[in-house]
Amino acid sequence: MYTQSFNVPDAPDGKTVPLAPSKEDAALQAAFDTRIDADGRIEPQDWMPEAYRKTLVRQISQHAHSEIVGMLPEGNWISRAPSLKRKAILIAKVQDEGGHGLYLYSAAETLGTSRDQMLEGLHSGRAKYSSIFNYPTLTWADVGVIGWLVDGAAIMNQIPLCRCSYGPYARAMVRVCKEESFHQRQGYEALLVMMTGTEEQKAMVQDAVDRWWWKCLAMFGPPDADSPNSAQGMRWGIKRVSNDDLRQKFVDATVPQAKVLGVTLPDPDLKWNEERQHHDYGRIDWNEFWETVNGNGPCNKERLATRVKAHNDGQWVRDAALAHARKQQSRNMKEAA
Ligand code: FAQ
């Protein structure tokens, strides 16, 4: 079963074993509910329902996988960045994404799931990661658009996670959001520069916006009515804002930015609705989204194969680090004896 199963015993037929709640469990559950209702934080040493733990491991590990796989589409352009300045910025950004993955794996580990277990879920194709990273980066403008729109969507989703009820996740998100904000600005700035360039450069930016816009809207997840995890996630204070509300906030924030940049968002139905005080927008292709989430997007196989190869190629580094740590430990013990 997928990563959320790690902390709950499975019956031989693969179904979850329902445990009868004891009196003590009922008291613990009541204390947990009271803390959640009071908007308090849950910490690793606190009692928590297994379903809460499983949901967090699922979401945080998926999020970590997204950051790590998310290094690949942009990493693809490090060797082809148009100047030394852009190369240095891109290297720093891609490295930041790797760091985000590490904070998030560490946060998920506090819930009792090992990094090896999470990576096994990713490498075997059972765990999910964000749909957005299964599309190709065809031109340099894609790197700017990823910063502007993909990081922009990621920040919109992640700011509310800074108030998530699980302490280690919330604290990791504070730092992640600060860095994502820089990522978004560097992408937008790179595009502003391209838009002052030649007609070909302007067309390249517009083409990248046309290819990424709808995929970014889908990043927020299925519509609320089709989102099986939302109601419980919000009840537990893990999710604070629904998929559709975040998507709407993203559209409203992005329309004026597109105007300043001088690009057209590829949606004929996009217009301001005076009554709702929001922008209306067209229909997202959910079939394409689910095809991509289920492994059939344009780059799914390539992304996974690259990750598995990188992990296998890094085995000697992990072995050397462990051997060094063991040596240090035995030296320290000898000195202490
Ligand atoms: N892709 O019931 P819901 C980034 C799945 S980080 C793939 O609504 P939930 C930084 C969902 O998991 C981007 N799968 O689920 C960066 C669930 O399947 P499951 C990642 C998706 O959890 C920038 C099923 O659909 N950010 O970009 C997607 O309540 C540039 C039903 O959905 C996070 O992970 C999707 N887009 O809400 C890095 C943020 N959407 O698990 C490099 C944390 C939904 O039941 C370069 N995560 N699914 O098998 C979240 O906020 C939530 O998990 C949602 C989904 C909102 C993603």
Side-chain angles (χ1 to χ4, degrees):
M1 222 216 298
Y2 179 55
T3 45
Q4 59 264 57
S5 65
F6 291 137
N7 294 292
V8 178
D10 280 345
D13 63 1
K15 296 204 175 100
T16 302
V17 181
L19 302 172
S22 66
K23 258 192 188 158
E24 196 191 349
D25 279 350
L28 289 166
Q29 176 76 52
F32 172 87
D33 290 341
T34 304
R35 188 165 323 165
I36 292 285
D37 290 343
D39 213 7
R41 284 273 163 87
I42 306 297
E43 296 297 338
Q45 67 278 12
D46 294 333
W47 183 92
M48 62 187 85
E50 281 309 312
Y52 176 82
R53 186 187 299 274
K54 277 194 335 179
T55 293
L56 282 166
V57 171
R58 175 185 67 80
Q59 179 166 327
I60 304 172
S61 64
Q62 283 180 183
H63 193 167
H65 300 328
S66 303
E67 300 281 358
I68 298 291
V69 178
M71 297 167 77
L72 301 175
E74 288 173 286
N76 189 26
W77 277 91
I78 289 174
S79 60
R80 291 175 288 163
S83 69
L84 185 57
K85 175 182 144 186
R86 295 290 173 200
K87 191 193 285 272
I89 292 172
L90 186 56
I91 291 173
K93 177 185 192 293
V94 171
Q95 198 170 327
D96 281 354
E97 308 298 1
H100 297 172
L102 299 186
Y103 313 151
L104 289 164
Y105 284 128
S106 299
E109 280 178 313
T110 65
L111 292 154
T113 300
S114 75
R115 193 169 305 194
D116 284 346
Q117 284 173 303
M118 291 184 262
L119 289 179
E120 199 280 323
L122 173 66
H123 296 163
S124 65
R126 284 176 296 130
K128 289 189 172 70
Y129 59 86
S130 183
S131 50
I132 197 74
F133 302 118
N134 292 304
Y135 296 98
T137 38
L138 302 181
T139 71
W140 173 252
D142 289 35
V143 173
V145 168
I146 289 180
W148 174 38
L149 296 180
V150 176
D151 283 278
I155 297 170
M156 200 55 94
N157 164 278
Q158 291 173 178
I159 293 280
L161 292 174
C162 298
R163 293 185 293 114
C164 163
S165 59
Y166 188 57
Y169 192 24
R171 288 189 288 274
M173 292 320 300
V174 172
R175 180 155 173 188
V176 169
C177 284
K178 285 184 183 159
E179 292 176 357
E180 297 290 25
S181 162
F182 161 75
H183 296 169
Q184 201 242 1
R185 280 151 199 240
Q186 69 77 35
Y188 192 64
E189 190 269 342
L191 296 176
L192 279 172
V193 171
M194 283 185 83
M195 291 302 285
T196 61
T198 63
E199 288 308 310
E200 283 88 345
Q201 284 174 310
K202 290 180 196 169
M204 207 187 271
V205 174
Q206 183 62 57
D207 172 63
V209 171
D210 291 348
R211 283 182 289 107
W212 288 92
W213 173 249
W214 290 103
K215 278 92 176 129
C216 289
L217 293 194
M219 255 180 95
F220 292 92
D224 294 349
D226 303 325
S227 163
N229 302 304
S230 273
Q232 187 62 67
M234 292 188 67
R235 164 75 189 90
W236 277 326
I238 297 172
K239 281 175 99 156
R240 298 285 180 170
V241 185
S242 83
N243 297 358
D244 283 333
D245 287 350
L246 286 172
R247 196 172 359 256
Q248 182 71 64
K249 274 165 88 83
F250 175 72
V251 172
D252 290 341
T254 309
V255 168
Q257 295 168 5
K259 207 170 277 174
V260 170
L261 193 56
V263 294
T264 308
L265 297 172
D267 178 0
D269 296 324
L270 185 65
K271 58 175 179 305
W272 178 251
N273 182 323
E274 192 58 38
E275 202 178 320
R276 291 198 312 119
Q277 290 289 299
H278 288 294
H279 291 86
D280 291 336
Y281 55 91
R283 211 191 135 273
I284 295 167
D285 184 347
W286 291 111
N287 286 338
E288 189 206 314
F289 169 77
W290 287 117
E291 275 294 299
T292 305
V293 170
N294 291 326
N296 303 316
C299 301
N300 294 59
K301 289 180 184 60
E302 182 190 327
R303 298 285 186 246
L304 216 51
T306 307
R307 271 316 316 155
V308 170
K309 181 175 182 310
H311 186 73
N312 292 342
D313 289 351
Q315 185 61 49
W316 70 271
V317 179
R318 293 189 293 281
D319 290 345
L322 282 174
H324 178 70
R326 272 194 294 269
K327 222 169 165 180
Q328 287 283 102
Q329 195 182 22
S330 78
R331 196 173 293 155
N332 290 346
M333 280 165 74
K334 264 189 211 146
E335 276 171 17

